[in-house]
Amino acid sequence: MIGQEHEGTEVLCLDVDEDTDADTLCAELLGPWSPTMIALRRGGRHVTELAPLHLRDRSHQEGERPDGVHLITGGLGGLGLAVARHLSRTVPGIRLALVSRGAPDPRDERDETAAEDPRRHRQVTALRELEDLGARVRCYRADVADEAAMADVVRAVRADLGRIACVIHAAGVAGDGFLFRKDAGTFRATLAPKVLGATVLDLVTADDPPQLMVCFGSTTSVFGVAGQGDYTAANTYLDHFADHRTALGRRTVTVDWTDWLDTGMAFDHGVRRDQGFFRSISVEDGLGSLDEILAAPRSPVVVGEINYGMLGSVDPDLLAAQLRRAPLVLEESVRQRVAGAGGEPRRAPAEDAPAGPAPDEGVTLLGREDGGYSETEHQVARIWARELGLDRLNVHESAFSLGGDSLVALRMAQSIQKTMAVRVSMVDLFRYVTIADLAAHLDSKKSHG
């Protein structure tokens, strides 16, 4: 993220062993930095590759799927309840332990606020649905990053429901803000549920490890997202945590999900569908993939279709530059499809996708009491509106909090250069993240020729 957020800063991560000599190290430092994450082992050069994986085509033994209590962290969130509902439908009589740091069991009729809180009411309805499907469900209140609290939860789950066979670690919070503006407390708070949570879950179940541990990660760990350095770090940790834990004989898989439609963080934060390198995924398709992963674990697995239609709308040179700075390489068939994406027609949005305003439509600007906005602000707003699918924009709100990412920034840079005859870099868009700041920067560039 440092390289994405700071102009002129190139970043290379070299993971070396004691056998790496000076000549090999210098060759990497002086050669092309692509990809930007490399491991040197016993004279060999290793890189991560993004390749297609068809889990349903992999043979697996019957009975591999965990049989016993399924403990789900983030269990009362939208995604946790969706997973619980799916398991209740597909595994007769399943026992579910739902862990949440929020309120205790919302079905407790003694809690008079449950009926008054819409969120709690939805949780009660969902939990009753799980029981109607035949599941045994218990809720436990704890912070997954608190080792003592989670040790108590594990003891309670074993006493209430039996042996824990599968842990699904779905807890997490979204990051926000660029590294140079982010304080250490905010960074730690984003790391805690995923990083400390995964470690704590491993520790408190070490006396009787579950058959399988599934960590819910994100495709942010594949390329990273500017403004999400802490969230990218947290999810990248989960990828390597799964490798390490599996190497110790405790089967673990991290699933790097693209954004979900209708539930999860992206939905809660209003992220538009199909805006990133990977297309958005429906709840039905996501849970179908989870079935395959539980039966034939591989890690890390990215669940998401590459968004070739979107990639075709990005300037090929800019896209190539982005991929050269990526921490991984594309498998040959993927690389060829991405390279040829410009020749493919862009997919039309699904019928239920929100339609953005046309380029020449008016955009309502907000953020100033006097209602005064410059012509440059109006021009920038029209570009943002087209890319973000919005018709009302606050000039002081970040594009990335509205659903923008690096691909959206690429297209914005193209549009600004084409329609306003001002050249801007990706770094400019990561630095000047509001309409007001970007417009002021563009006006400054124009005034200086």
Side-chain angles (χ1 to χ4, degrees):
M1 294 304 90
I2 294 171
Q4 287 194 26
E5 294 182 7
H6 291 268
E7 187 171 9
T9 301
E10 296 290 334
V11 177
L12 175 66
C13 177
L14 283 178
D15 186 348
V16 303
D17 64 7
E18 59 185 10
D19 296 325
T20 302
D21 57 38
D23 289 341
T24 302
L25 189 59
C26 288
E28 289 293 342
L29 293 174
L30 299 175
W33 287 11
S34 181
T36 59
M37 189 166 67
I38 299 163
L40 303 177
R41 294 286 184 275
R42 298 178 182 178
R45 185 178 191 267
H46 302 270
V47 301
T48 303
E49 181 181 65
L50 183 68
L53 177 65
H54 303 287
L55 289 173
R56 64 170 56 90
D57 297 334
R58 292 172 48 82
S59 61
H60 57 273
Q61 298 176 355
E62 294 296 326
E64 273 192 350
R65 184 162 179 161
D67 181 20
V69 177
H70 285 56
L71 184 152
I72 305 175
T73 67
L76 291 179
L79 189 53
L81 285 172
V83 171
R85 187 180 299 110
H86 177 73
L87 292 172
S88 299
R89 288 171 176 163
T90 55
V91 183
I94 193 170
R95 289 163 286 164
L96 297 172
L98 307 183
V99 181
S100 171
R101 66 177 179 176
D105 192 331
R107 294 168 296 182
D108 190 342
E109 294 180 355
R110 292 170 297 177
D111 187 343
E112 297 179 357
T113 65
E116 301 172 1
D117 184 340
R119 183 169 179 269
R120 299 280 301 284
H121 179 71
R122 287 193 296 271
Q123 291 173 346
V124 170
T125 302
L127 292 170
R128 288 174 178 164
E129 180 186 354
L130 300 181
E131 292 178 330
D132 290 342
L133 291 167
R136 286 182 60 194
V137 187
R138 293 292 298 269
C139 298
Y140 303 86
R141 182 179 185 177
D143 182 344
V144 70
D146 184 331
E147 184 177 355
M150 286 305 300
D152 290 341
V153 166
V154 168
R155 283 192 289 270
V157 171
R158 289 169 174 169
D160 295 340
L161 298 172
R163 181 177 183 272
I164 298 172
C166 181
V167 170
I168 298 177
H169 182 31
V173 295
D176 185 32
F178 290 82
L179 292 172
F180 71 93
R181 296 175 179 168
K182 196 186 301 285
D183 61 83
T186 301
F187 206 103
R188 283 195 295 268
T190 303
L191 293 182
K194 288 184 179 286
V195 175
L196 295 181
T199 305
V200 164
L201 287 166
D202 183 43
L203 290 172
V204 299
T205 59
D207 60 327
D208 185 14
Q211 290 172 250
L212 176 64
M213 183 172 177
V214 180
C215 298
F216 277 20
S218 165
T219 53
T220 58
S221 68
V222 180
F223 296 109
V225 176
Q228 294 282 322
D230 43 6
Y231 191 64
T232 299
N235 287 289
T236 301
Y237 174 86
L238 291 181
D239 290 343
H240 299 288
F241 170 82
D243 289 341
H244 175 70
R245 192 170 182 273
T246 297
L248 296 176
R250 300 192 288 274
R251 200 169 57 149
T252 313
V253 58
T254 291
V255 186
D256 292 331
W257 302 102
T258 184
D259 52 286
W260 294 64
L261 300 172
D262 303 323
T263 193
M265 289 184 202
F267 177 75
D268 293 341
H269 288 79
V271 175
R272 286 186 67 212
R273 66 185 298 167
D274 295 342
Q275 290 299 295
F277 187 90
F278 299 96
R279 298 188 70 201
S280 306
I281 191 170
S282 69
V283 174
E284 180 181 356
D285 286 344
L287 295 174
S289 298
L290 181 61
D291 276 340
E292 298 167 14
I293 291 164
L294 292 175
R298 291 283 300 273
S299 187
V301 174
V302 176
V303 176
E305 176 189 355
I306 293 177
N307 198 353
Y308 293 109
M310 177 68 73
L311 296 174
S313 68
V314 176
D315 180 275
D317 293 335
L318 291 174
L319 180 59
Q322 284 288 98
L323 292 175
R324 279 196 299 272
R325 292 193 294 268
L328 50 71
V329 296
L330 304 182
E331 187 265 347
E332 183 61 22
S333 65
V334 176
R335 188 191 65 77
Q336 290 182 1
R337 284 204 65 185
V338 169
E344 296 182 5
R346 184 170 178 178
R347 288 194 180 111
E351 291 181 2
D352 59 346
D360 56 349
E361 279 186 356
V363 182
T364 301
L365 290 183
L366 308 169
R368 294 201 182 101
E369 291 185 5
D370 62 3
Y373 305 98
S374 70
E375 178 57 30
T376 302
E377 287 175 333
H378 280 290
Q379 289 177 296
V380 172
R382 284 194 288 271
I383 293 170
W384 278 32
R386 180 173 65 248
E387 297 299 341
L388 297 172
L390 301 171
D391 55 14
R392 294 169 63 86
L393 290 166
N394 188 310
V395 294
H396 302 301
E397 191 165 6
S398 165
F400 298 96
S401 70
L402 296 171
D405 60 16
S406 56
L407 286 178
V408 171
L410 276 172
R411 295 197 306 275
M412 286 181 177
Q414 276 184 269
S415 296
I416 289 171
Q417 183 172 343
K418 182 177 179 180
T419 62
M420 302 176 65
V422 181
R423 185 172 182 81
V424 292
S425 67
M426 287 283 289
V427 174
D428 288 334
L429 294 181
F430 292 147
R431 179 171 295 166
Y432 306 105
V433 297
T434 69
I435 291 173
D437 288 346
L438 181 56
H441 173 66
L442 294 175
D443 285 338
S444 175
K445 291 193 73 166
K446 287 187 285 188
S447 66
H448 289 86

